[in-house]
Amino acid sequence: MPESILVVEDEPSLQETLAYNLKKDGYGVETVGDGLSALEAARRIKPDLIILDIMLPKMDGFEVARILRKEMTAAILMLTARDDEIDRVVGLEVGADDYLTKPFSMRELLRASSPSCGRTRMLREEMQSTKMSPLLLMKL
């Protein structure tokens, strides 16, 4: 079964482009255009990866990431036009695994979407099952 990706992007043309290229690369893809729909879809499909814009209607991507990080181990890739250092830091602090700014190349996105999302998910599941501290893992 192909890895599943939830694309959360409010710009329809970018949403379509992302979905097309990810499907072409063999991923199962679902798309939504706002933060509340992202929560519902993520809870329903339990994706392997969530590609998440920050500036979304109804609920911003920071809040979506914060909520979903408490509920699931899916990898989260922030994909946004916000390129200030503080935005990257906040994105990573609320639970994103990677942060990619627009404009970006599709090759760059596909690299960020590939094996790293599986490794991140496996690491989180291992931490949860053994109750290991993330700081302990960083020392390994």
Side-chain angles (χ1 to χ4, degrees):
M1 184 165 131
E3 286 189 329
S4 63
I5 298 178
L6 174 61
V7 174
V8 186
E9 171 59 57
D10 62 329
E11 184 186 323
S13 61
L14 181 54
Q15 189 185 87
E16 287 177 28
T17 301
L18 291 170
Y20 172 81
N21 283 283
L22 291 165
K23 287 177 183 176
K24 194 173 93 171
D25 220 47
Y27 295 102
V29 179
E30 181 157 334
T31 60
V32 296
D34 67 76
L36 292 178
S37 297
L39 292 177
E40 186 278 324
R43 290 169 176 152
R44 180 175 40 82
I45 67 172
K46 298 183 181 14
D48 297 301
L49 172 66
I50 301 165
I51 298 176
L52 182 60
D53 190 9
I54 292 175
M55 297 179 290
L56 295 167
K58 300 184 182 176
M59 179 183 293
D60 72 41
F62 291 136
E63 186 67 8
V64 172
R66 187 188 64 73
I67 291 168
L68 291 178
R69 181 51 64 226
K70 292 177 183 176
E71 298 179 10
M72 60 185 61
T73 59
I76 299 174
L77 168 63
M78 293 285 203
L79 180 64
T80 180
R82 293 174 67 164
D83 63 354
D84 290 338
E85 178 185 15
I86 189 67
D87 293 321
R88 288 191 302 276
V89 169
V90 170
L92 296 168
E93 284 180 350
V94 298
D97 299 290
D98 205 348
Y99 194 102
L100 191 60
T101 57
K102 301 172 187 174
F104 61 93
S105 73
M106 195 53 62
R107 184 178 306 175
E108 191 177 19
L109 175 74
L110 292 172
R111 185 234 24 104
S113 302
S114 62
S116 63
C117 76
R119 285 194 306 272
T120 301
R121 188 179 68 257
M122 288 180 357
L123 180 60
R124 276 212 179 86
E125 288 170 357
E126 180 66 22
M127 284 172 31
Q128 288 177 344
S129 69
T130 62
K131 305 293 185 216
M132 288 183 88
S133 162
L135 295 175
L136 177 62
L137 286 174
M138 291 165 80
K139 292 179 181 178
L140 296 178

